[in-house]
Amino acid sequence: MQRIAKFEKISYEQFTKDWLDTFGNTDNINNIYNDIKMPKRATAGSAGYDFYTPLNFEIKPGESVKIPTGIRVNINDGWVLKLYPRSGLGFKFRLQMNNTVGIIDSDYYNSDNEGHIFCKVMNDTNENKTVSLDKGAGFCQGIFVEYGITFDDDVTDERNGGFGSTGI
């Protein structure tokens, strides 16, 4: 296996700013930040790195929540991190990523938000099930994928920002 990336915590200042923007308060922010768990694989054969919830969340049918993970990732060029819901949560509750698949490009690491990874998940159940996620529970997984570019590609621009930063 190639080693192509390293997960890191974003700064406390960036996390506080993003948490406030998402939830409107910073109650207990020190403990939330200090308890952030780095993504990990569950077994030696796992492809996905589990991302963990920083708090308890309850997501009712049709509701969504944007979760600031407190995590960034430094990825080698030629690789991307793809984010999916944990398969068990998708199977049992139809937990979905709001953008279907989260794409974390290698140049996102240098963005002005420190490359903070957010995951917006939705309870898309058709069985009226509520998803309960306890603090520290794995809720999505990231898989590193190598990619190529065309022979005539001449792009030199670099991103600065998250969702929509490249024009959409």
Side-chain angles (χ1 to χ4, degrees), residues 50-101:
D50 293 338
F51 281 71
Y52 304 99
T53 60
L55 277 184
N56 296 333
F57 291 100
E58 184 175 278
I59 312 168
K60 295 180 179 157
E63 291 183 346
S64 63
V65 62
K66 180 176 80 171
I67 301 175
T69 65
I71 304 296
R72 66 192 284 202
V73 64
N74 191 349
I75 309 172
N76 287 353
D77 289 338
W79 291 84
V80 64
L81 177 64
K82 299 172 97 178
L83 299 173
Y84 304 92
R86 295 260 327 258
S87 55
L89 292 172
F91 184 81
K92 293 175 189 171
F93 301 101
R94 287 185 55 129
L95 188 71
Q96 306 286 327
M97 301 292 286
N98 260 31
N99 57 345
T100 62
V101 177

Side-chain angles (χ1 to χ4, degrees), residues 100-127:
T100 62
V101 177
I103 300 294
I104 309 300
D105 297 307
S106 62
D107 61 352
Y108 182 52
Y109 180 81
N110 296 314
S111 294
D112 58 6
N113 72 347
E114 299 182 19
H116 190 182
I117 297 171
F118 290 83
C119 296
K120 189 170 184 183
V121 292
M122 178 179 185
N123 181 349
D124 195 27
T125 184
N126 55 13
E127 299 172 354

Side-chain angles (χ1 to χ4, degrees), residues 12-22 26 112-113:
Y12 176 81
E13 294 76 21
Q14 185 67 48
F15 184 73
T16 301
K17 176 182 170 191
D18 292 341
W19 191 269
L20 181 62
D21 182 59
T22 302
T26 55
D112 58 6
N113 72 347

